[in-house]
């Protein structure tokens, strides 16, 4: 159950709401030593740097973005053979000094993403073959027009990075980029938790569990907007009326 509610304007991004809440927890509730848990979009590197510089007693827990995980896989810091039966292990890395990294693997998610990628690759190839057929039939000419048509196809399912295209005045040849596909496959089912919380306070498995509990926050957020409180949509454009509406909804909930 929420202990405090704050309403922000609709055009305010999530990251900009984080630091005010940290100040609120410290000043209004008098809690100086706590752990802030947020997803990759909420707890950015900028926020982490601010916490280190201005809030030394506040620990944090979040996850790495895909680009960072790709670097760890690329330099062999994360390898399949390092995962145990729990599908997680802890490492330290020079790119993240003073942090603990917990690498996790979800086999079911890896299988699902591989299956989805195979389907999208096949669908893209089928559509590219249709363009080739139009070229062969003389219905599509000029390299520029062929390029536009091919680009539309490979971008439809975001598969452009997985194909090599050779476009001529009256031709189109394509093939899969096996290296790019293999590089992405290596990331299937992988996620990495990063935190400043010492190991003696929270072990690797506990740290992962703490991050996964964000799903409860997401569930509560959806409930507030739809099932329980029906807060949205709010057709009020006056700030006081919006706050009054939410306050009444909260009263009815309790």
């Amino acid at each position: 159950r929420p202990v405090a509610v704050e309403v922000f304007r609709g055009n305010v991004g999530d990251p900009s709401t984080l630091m005010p809440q940290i100040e609120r927890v410290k000043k209004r509730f008098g809690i100086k030593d706590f752990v802030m848990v947020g997803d990759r979009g909420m707890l950015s590197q900028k926020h982490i740097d601010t916490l280190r510089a201005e809030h030394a007693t506040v620990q944090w827990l979040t996850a790495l973005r895909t680009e960072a995980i790709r670097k760890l896989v690329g330099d062999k810091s994360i390898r399949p053979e390092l995962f145990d039966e729990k599908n997680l292990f802890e490492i330290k890395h020079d790119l993240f000094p003073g942090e603990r990294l917990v690498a996790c693997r979800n086999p079911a998610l890896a299988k699902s993403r591989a299956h989805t990628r195979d389907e999208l690759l096949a669908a893209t190839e089928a559509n590219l073959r249709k363009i080739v057929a139009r070229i062969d039939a003389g219905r599509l000419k000029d390299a520029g027009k062929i390029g536009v048509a091919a680009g539309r196809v490979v971008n439809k399912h975001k598969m452009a990075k997985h194909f090599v295209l050779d476009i001529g005045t009256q031709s189109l040849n394509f093939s899969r980029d096996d290296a790019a596909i293999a590089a992405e496959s290596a990331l299937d089912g992988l996620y990495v938790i990063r935190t400043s919380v010492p190991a003696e306070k929270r072990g690797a498995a506990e740290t992962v569990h703490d991050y996964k509990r964000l799903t409860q926050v997401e569930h509560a957020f959806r409930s507030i907007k739809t099932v329980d409180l029906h807060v949205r949509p709010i057709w009020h454009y006056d700030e006081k009326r919006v706050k009054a509406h939410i306050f009444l909804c909260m009263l009815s909930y309790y």
Side-chain angles (χ1 to χ4, degrees):
R1 294 181 180 272
V3 295
V5 177
E6 184 170 352
V7 179
F8 292 91
R9 293 183 179 276
N11 60 352
V12 176
D14 287 345
S16 63
T17 67
L18 178 64
M19 301 313 296
Q21 302 315 310
I22 291 177
E23 292 290 346
R24 168 178 284 197
V25 172
K26 294 179 68 174
K27 295 180 179 179
R28 178 176 175 182
F29 297 99
I31 303 174
K32 296 182 179 180
D33 187 359
F34 59 93
V35 180
M36 178 63 67
V37 183
D39 59 24
R40 286 162 284 199
M42 178 68 74
L43 261 172
S44 65
Q45 185 61 51
K46 180 180 179 181
H47 289 132
I48 291 174
D49 293 338
T50 301
L51 289 175
R52 285 171 171 164
E54 303 177 10
H55 304 277
T57 61
V58 179
Q59 304 293 332
W60 48 267
L61 192 160
T62 185
L64 291 183
R65 293 183 177 273
T66 301
E67 296 78 11
I69 298 176
R70 185 176 288 111
K71 291 180 180 179
L72 298 181
V73 172
D75 66 15
K76 306 299 182 183
S77 296
I78 297 179
R79 304 187 303 276
E81 62 269 20
L82 295 177
F83 288 99
D84 58 15
E85 65 276 3
K86 295 181 180 180
N87 281 314
L88 63 87
F89 67 92
E90 186 171 332
I91 63 173
K92 292 184 179 297
H93 199 280
D94 293 339
L95 292 176
F96 306 95
E99 300 182 23
R100 296 168 54 212
L101 303 178
V102 183
C104 311
R105 179 179 61 183
N106 185 328
L109 179 60
K111 184 177 180 180
S112 173
R113 288 184 175 174
H115 178 71
T116 299
R117 183 172 49 251
D118 288 342
E119 287 188 333
L120 294 180
L121 286 169
T124 301
E125 285 178 325
N127 288 329
L128 287 173
R129 283 193 287 270
K130 292 180 181 179
I131 295 178
V132 173
R134 290 170 58 194
I135 297 172
D136 292 341
R139 297 195 302 271
L140 182 60
K141 301 178 181 179
D142 184 74
K145 294 181 179 179
I146 295 173
V148 170
R152 188 180 298 114
V153 167
V154 296
N155 287 315
K156 180 179 180 180
H157 301 300
K158 299 181 180 180
M159 291 288 107
K161 57 187 175 182
H162 294 324
F163 281 92
V164 177
L165 303 179
D166 181 13
I167 301 172
T169 305
Q170 292 182 324
S171 65
L172 170 63
N173 296 300
F174 62 89
S175 61
R176 294 188 180 188
D177 189 334
D178 294 330
I181 295 173
E184 184 177 276
S185 299
L187 303 179
D188 286 348
L190 291 182
Y191 59 99
V192 179
I193 308 301
R194 61 184 300 199
T195 184
S196 63
V197 180
E200 56 268 22
K201 288 189 176 181
R202 303 297 285 176
E206 293 174 311
T207 299
V208 175
H209 176 70
D210 290 341
Y211 184 76
K212 288 184 176 181
R213 288 174 62 191
L214 281 175
T215 57
Q216 298 177 19
V217 178
E218 294 294 334
H219 176 74
F221 190 57
R222 286 194 299 270
S223 295
I224 287 176
K225 293 194 298 182
T226 56
V227 179
D228 295 328
L229 299 185
H230 301 285
V231 170
R232 293 181 66 187
I234 302 174
W235 304 113
H236 298 311
Y237 294 94
D238 181 84
E239 184 174 342
K240 292 182 179 180
R241 295 185 64 184
V242 172
K243 291 181 178 179
H245 180 87
I246 294 179
F247 177 70
L248 292 174
C249 288
M250 295 298 293
L251 286 180
S252 65
Y253 180 66
Y254 283 106

